[in-house]
Amino acid sequence: AIRPKVVINDNPLFVSDPQSINFFEYSVGQSYTKPIVFRNVSSVTRMIRISQPTNKEIFTISPIVYPASSSSGLIAPGMNVSTILTFKPKALISYIDSIAVHTEGGSYDVIISANREEPILSLPSTIDIGTCLIGD
């Protein structure tokens, strides 16, 4: 089940850029990537944990890239970590998933969606199939 962005308190410890990720034009068999940045907006050094999307065959995230000055996974105030989301569609359908972001102050989701425009079929209101016997 996909949950909307949930923050335990009114003052989140990290913010995501972008806050949600959308893919619009895609083809089966291709890979598409988008970067995601998580910034520590608190006033103290914090830790962050990011969970993989539920559908790992379609959406995956790369290992988190920490700043060079980061020791043991701690992120200083104002610093950020990043990851790359990879989307590999298996069919031309819509997809929805999320990445769970866990911090000391609570958890929230970054929603991932992939949508294509619906195909438009154009058929005439009448079709002449010629002469035909009933039951043929």
Side-chain angles (χ1 to χ4, degrees):
I2 302 299
R3 299 171 301 186
K5 180 177 177 180
V6 176
V7 178
I8 298 302
N9 55 36
D10 292 336
N11 196 6
L13 303 178
F14 282 82
V15 294
S16 306
D17 183 25
Q19 291 183 350
S20 64
I21 301 160
N22 304 298
F23 295 91
F24 295 107
E25 290 297 322
Y26 48 89
S27 300
V28 174
Q30 300 293 315
S31 285
Y32 303 90
T33 60
K34 290 196 178 183
I36 313 169
V37 175
F38 303 94
R39 180 175 311 279
N40 179 354
V41 294
S42 73
S43 59
V44 297
T45 300
R46 300 285 183 182
M47 294 178 69
I48 188 171
R49 186 171 57 89
I50 302 166
S51 299
Q52 288 281 345
T54 306
N55 193 341
K56 296 179 184 105
E57 291 183 12
I58 304 298
F59 298 107
T60 56
I61 55 173
S62 66
I64 298 172
V65 176
Y66 289 88
S69 61
S70 174
S71 63
S72 64
L74 296 174
I75 301 114
M79 298 299 289
N80 61 49
V81 295
S82 62
T83 187
I84 303 291
L85 172 71
T86 302
F87 170 48
K88 296 178 184 174
K90 299 209 180 264
L92 296 178
I93 60 173
S94 294
Y95 297 94
I96 188 160
D97 209 329
S98 67
I99 298 170
V101 180
H102 309 280
T103 71
E104 295 143 290
S107 299
Y108 67 91
D109 289 339
V110 175
I111 304 299
I112 309 165
S113 65
N115 301 298
R116 291 180 49 93
E117 284 190 34
E118 299 280 330
I120 299 172
L121 299 176
S122 57
L123 296 173
S125 58
T126 59
I127 300 175
D128 182 3
I129 57 168
T131 304
C132 127
L133 296 173
I134 296 177
D136 280 349

